[in-house]
Amino acid sequence: DGEEGVETDGFVEYDRTVGGVQLQGAIRLRLDPLPMSESSCIPPEDPLVTLSPETREFFHMDSQASSDESEHKYPPALQALLSGARGSLKRGRLGPYPLANLTCHILDVDSEMMTSPDTLPGAMRAAAANAIATLLET
């Protein structure tokens, strides 16, 4: 195979003030291609987003929970993180061309906003989108 993914160089910081509200978060992630099939022609598949045990712990969730749990039970900030990552992957790097056939692994998350649950979802959404955009530019 020889196909390798790419990973952020540590945390990608996001710190902006929008409408008088500070949004701050940091994301570390990795993008990996999906394994190639034996056929030379594979249909495009939407990117997958996975969560590391560290990410799950950040959101006070069981770090060993199964991947088939329902996302609607996730805390709002974690739902926003996933939404930001998926949205950035769907927008892609080159205009309206969504990325396909890859897995985005959210390796770790950090934020000074844990004490502000009202702004944490927006911060996580923006930080995830920013981290993916930054990684795609490198």
Side-chain angles (χ1 to χ4, degrees):
D1 260 47
E3 292 185 18
E4 294 185 26
V6 291
E7 187 172 324
T8 57
D9 185 21
F11 281 100
V12 176
E13 301 279 338
Y14 182 87
D15 191 354
R16 306 264 188 323
T17 301
V18 179
V21 177
Q22 182 189 13
L23 300 178
Q24 185 278 330
I27 309 287
R28 190 169 65 87
L29 58 85
R30 177 178 179 82
L31 299 176
D32 287 315
L34 290 178
M36 295 297 287
S37 66
E38 295 300 315
S39 80
S40 59
C41 181
I42 58 171
E45 293 183 31
D46 285 340
L48 302 173
V49 180
T50 65
L51 303 171
S52 71
E54 293 83 4
T55 301
R56 298 177 67 76
E57 286 176 14
F58 178 84
F59 291 102
H60 308 292
M61 298 181 63
D62 180 3
S63 64
Q64 304 303 321
S66 67
S67 59
D68 62 350
E69 65 189 351
S70 177
E71 283 187 24
H72 75 276
K73 294 182 181 177
Y74 287 176
L78 180 53
Q79 290 177 15
L81 173 76
L82 292 169
S83 171
R86 290 182 182 129
S88 186
L89 293 166
K90 284 185 179 180
R91 282 186 300 278
R93 172 72 180 99
L94 301 171
Y97 303 105
L99 298 172
N101 299 344
L102 62 85
T103 301
C104 175
H105 305 282
I106 308 287
L107 302 174
D108 209 350
V109 176
D110 192 21
S111 179
E112 298 170 6
M113 304 187 77
M114 284 306 289
T115 57
S116 181
D118 293 338
T119 57
L120 186 62
M124 289 293 99
R125 181 178 293 109
N130 178 61
I132 289 171
T134 299
L135 183 58
L136 293 176
E137 289 174 5
T138 57

